[in-house]
């Protein structure tokens, strides 16, 4: 596997061009594949998974002098597993429908969504309970300390290095009192004595090694109890809202499996879970006066993720039974209106056919 990684990284441009060419060739599949959706979907899924793995290898190319984390060096991190599941889920749905029928296909879809829930919850835990970007497929690089207010340091204050004397002392300690001057003098004496005893070449090698290999910063993610105790009520709202976002697709699939796609109950429950979960996330960023409850400060990427989730609500217009009763009728009436226009009518017809065809697949309209 390491040999394959080295080959991909050395030939990154060639690999990307080959992936683009292979994706374009899927449009030229033989006619015998047209009678079944399994063939084209299998080819597309395999190409998508190979492209995803290759892009991950290229993006995680180690840089000289920079230590990579264990998540970056592992061949299948959790975020990559989620992307591979997304590439594979459409094929799973098509195979399940061909083998078990329209009704029983929801069993395999539910198993797929359950696997995605487990992986996303694992990502949520291992990242220190930070907002899941792109459903967990993109790593959230924001540090937890950046999200904490300045007044919430408490016993977690880190020592400050005195640049002039080389003495570490806690924040708030007056370094100019008698004890501070004594400790500084002792430290300075010990440092000078060590420099005199060490040969010049050894000090030079140590300096070069310190420049080329900076000490790795160890970031320990908090446990759930620690996170909730530090963030208070708003931390609980954040964890609950993010958990609802993770569980929402599985809840929807299980309800559709029981009540069917024509029932309004799964549609309304899924929408309610989305709205309540988003409201909880919004509540965590609202300013408040209580000193115990620490509010969150989302980064730019996290704010963009919240906006992206709101945009996904448009997909409810494409889900049954809303689609069958309202959206499809509107699309068909629009098609009849623009049909006499030569160019516009042609493209509008193709677009509407594409939307109607995509609507028949849960994985195209799941928004997960």
């Amino acid at each position: 596997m390491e040999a394959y990684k080295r080959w991909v990284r050395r030939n990154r441009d060639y690999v990307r061009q080959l992936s683009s060419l292979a994706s374009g060739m899927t449009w030229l599949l033989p006619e015998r594949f047209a009678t079944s959706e399994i063939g084209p979907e299998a080819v597309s899924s395999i190409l998508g998974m190979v492209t995803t793995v290759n892009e991950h290898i290229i993006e995680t190319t180690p840089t000289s002098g920079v230590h990579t984390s264990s998540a970056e060096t592992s061949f299948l991190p959790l975020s990559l597993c989620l992307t591979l599941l997304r590439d594979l889920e459409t094929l799973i749905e098509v195979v399940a429908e061909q083998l078990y029928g329209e009704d029983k296909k929801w069993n395999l879809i539910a198993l797929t969504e359950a696997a995605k829930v487990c992986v996303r919850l694992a990502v949520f835990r291992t990242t220190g309970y930070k907002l899941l970007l792109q459903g967990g497929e993109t790593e959230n690089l924001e540090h937890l300390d950046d999200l904490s207010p300045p007044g919430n340091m408490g016993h977690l204050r880190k020592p400050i290095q005195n640049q002039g004397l080389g003495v570490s002392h806690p924040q708030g300690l007056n370094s100019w009192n008698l004890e501070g001057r004594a400790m500084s003098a002792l430290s300075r004496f010990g440092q000078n004595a060590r420099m005199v005893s060490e040969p010049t070449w050894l000090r030079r090698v140590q300096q070069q090694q310190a420049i080329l290999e900076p000490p790795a910063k160890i970031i320990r993610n908090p446990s759930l109890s620690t996170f909730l105790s530090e963030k208070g009520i708003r931390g609980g709202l954040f964890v609950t809202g993010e958990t609802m976002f993770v569980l929402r697709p599985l809840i929807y699939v299980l309800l559709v499996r029981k009540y069917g796609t024509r029932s309004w109950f799964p549609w309304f429950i899924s929408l309610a879970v989305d709205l309540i979960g988003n409201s909880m996330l919004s509540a965590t960023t609202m300013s408040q006066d209580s000193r115990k409850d620490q509010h969150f400060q989302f980064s730019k990427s996290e704010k963009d993720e919240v906006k992206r989730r709101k945009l996904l609500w448009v997909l409810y217009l494409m889900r049954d039974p809303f689609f069958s009763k309202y959206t499809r009728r509107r699309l068909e009436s629009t098609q009849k209106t623009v049909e006499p226009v030569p160019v516009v009518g042609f493209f509008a017809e193709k677009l509407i056919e594409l939307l109607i065809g995509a609507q028949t697949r849960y994985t195209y309209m799941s928004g997960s």
Side-chain angles (χ1 to χ4, degrees):
M1 192 61 67
E2 291 298 327
Y4 179 74
K5 288 183 180 181
R6 290 193 296 269
W7 182 84
V8 170
R9 287 162 179 167
R10 284 197 305 264
N11 304 275
R12 62 181 64 189
D13 295 333
Y14 173 74
V15 170
R16 285 170 173 167
Q17 292 176 3
L18 187 62
S19 298
S20 300
L21 179 62
S23 299
M25 293 295 292
T26 56
W27 295 93
L28 303 177
L29 290 174
E31 290 293 333
R32 61 177 178 271
F33 286 108
T35 57
S36 176
E37 291 186 69
I38 297 180
E41 287 296 342
V43 174
S44 300
S45 298
I46 293 174
L47 288 177
M49 295 172 67
V50 172
T51 302
T52 298
V53 172
N54 290 338
E55 286 297 324
H56 170 74
I57 294 174
I58 294 173
E59 291 174 358
T60 56
T61 302
T63 306
S64 58
V66 176
H67 298 275
T68 57
S69 61
S70 59
E72 293 174 346
T73 56
S74 60
F75 188 73
L76 281 177
L78 295 176
S79 58
L80 180 60
C81 292
L82 282 173
T83 307
L84 295 177
L85 278 174
R86 178 175 54 83
D87 294 334
L88 196 61
E89 61 184 0
T90 304
L91 176 62
I92 293 175
E93 180 179 358
V94 172
V95 171
E97 184 175 349
Q98 293 285 336
L99 297 180
Y100 303 107
E102 177 68 24
D103 295 332
K104 294 185 178 180
K105 76 173 185 179
W106 296 103
N107 295 329
L108 280 181
I109 295 178
L111 290 177
T112 305
E113 290 295 344
K116 290 164 65 176
V117 166
C118 295
V119 178
R120 281 174 176 162
L121 290 178
V123 172
F124 189 45
R125 180 179 178 274
T126 55
T127 55
Y129 304 100
K130 291 183 287 187
L131 193 73
L132 296 176
L133 303 181
Q134 298 291 328
E137 297 180 20
T138 301
E139 185 178 2
N140 193 339
L141 299 177
E142 295 295 329
H143 299 301
L144 287 175
D145 292 339
D146 298 337
L147 301 178
S148 300
N152 191 31
M153 299 301 293
H155 63 283
L156 298 176
R157 289 180 178 177
K158 299 179 180 179
I160 295 179
Q161 183 74 22
N162 189 313
Q163 301 294 337
L165 302 176
V167 180
S168 297
H169 53 81
Q171 273 185 337
L173 178 63
N174 186 3
S175 61
W176 296 106
N177 58 20
L178 181 60
E179 183 181 357
R181 289 197 299 270
M183 293 297 295
S184 299
L186 288 174
S187 177
R188 187 164 58 249
F189 174 77
Q191 186 176 5
N192 293 335
R194 186 185 63 181
M195 292 180 65
V196 170
S197 62
E198 290 178 350
T200 305
W201 66 268
L202 181 58
R203 293 200 301 269
R204 187 181 298 112
V205 171
Q206 291 175 347
Q207 291 175 357
Q208 293 177 354
Q209 186 177 7
I211 294 175
L212 295 177
E213 298 182 2
K217 183 180 180 181
I218 301 176
I219 300 177
R220 293 183 175 87
N221 293 322
S223 62
L224 180 60
S225 58
T226 303
F227 180 85
L228 294 177
S229 63
E230 291 180 356
K231 299 299 181 180
I233 296 178
R234 300 194 179 269
L237 290 176
F238 172 77
V239 173
T240 304
E242 199 67 357
T243 304
M244 293 179 69
F245 166 75
V246 172
L247 293 177
R248 198 276 310 164
L250 179 60
I251 295 174
Y252 176 72
V253 169
L254 292 177
L255 292 177
V256 169
R257 176 174 171 270
K258 181 177 182 180
Y259 296 99
T261 57
R262 299 298 179 181
S263 174
W264 282 98
F265 186 68
W267 192 90
F268 275 116
I269 293 298
S270 178
L271 179 60
V273 172
D274 259 337
L275 293 176
I276 295 174
N278 184 78
S279 300
M280 289 184 175
L281 292 180
S282 300
T284 61
T285 60
M286 296 172 59
S287 61
Q288 33 72 42
D289 298 329
S290 176
R291 296 181 180 179
K292 295 182 180 180
D293 297 335
Q294 304 297 338
H295 65 278
F296 285 70
Q297 296 178 355
F298 285 164
S299 64
K300 183 180 183 302
S301 59
E302 291 171 337
K303 292 178 181 178
D304 293 340
E305 170 63 20
V306 174
K307 294 178 183 178
R308 185 191 73 88
R309 295 181 185 181
K310 293 180 180 179
L311 290 176
L312 290 178
W313 294 349
V314 179
L315 293 178
Y316 280 97
L317 302 178
M318 301 297 297
R319 295 174 188 162
D320 279 331
F322 192 94
F323 177 81
S324 300
K325 293 185 177 294
Y326 301 102
T327 307
R328 182 163 187 165
R329 296 177 183 177
R330 181 64 63 180
L331 290 175
E332 291 174 349
S333 62
T334 302
Q335 179 182 356
K336 293 179 181 179
T337 302
V338 299
E339 187 176 3
V341 183
V343 179
V344 178
F346 174 78
F347 285 104
E349 180 182 2
K350 295 300 181 183
L351 178 60
I352 292 173
E353 290 179 357
L354 179 63
L355 291 174
I356 294 176
Q359 189 274 335
T360 60
R361 292 284 169 231
Y362 159 77
T363 48
Y364 294 153
M365 296 297 156
S366 62
S368 61

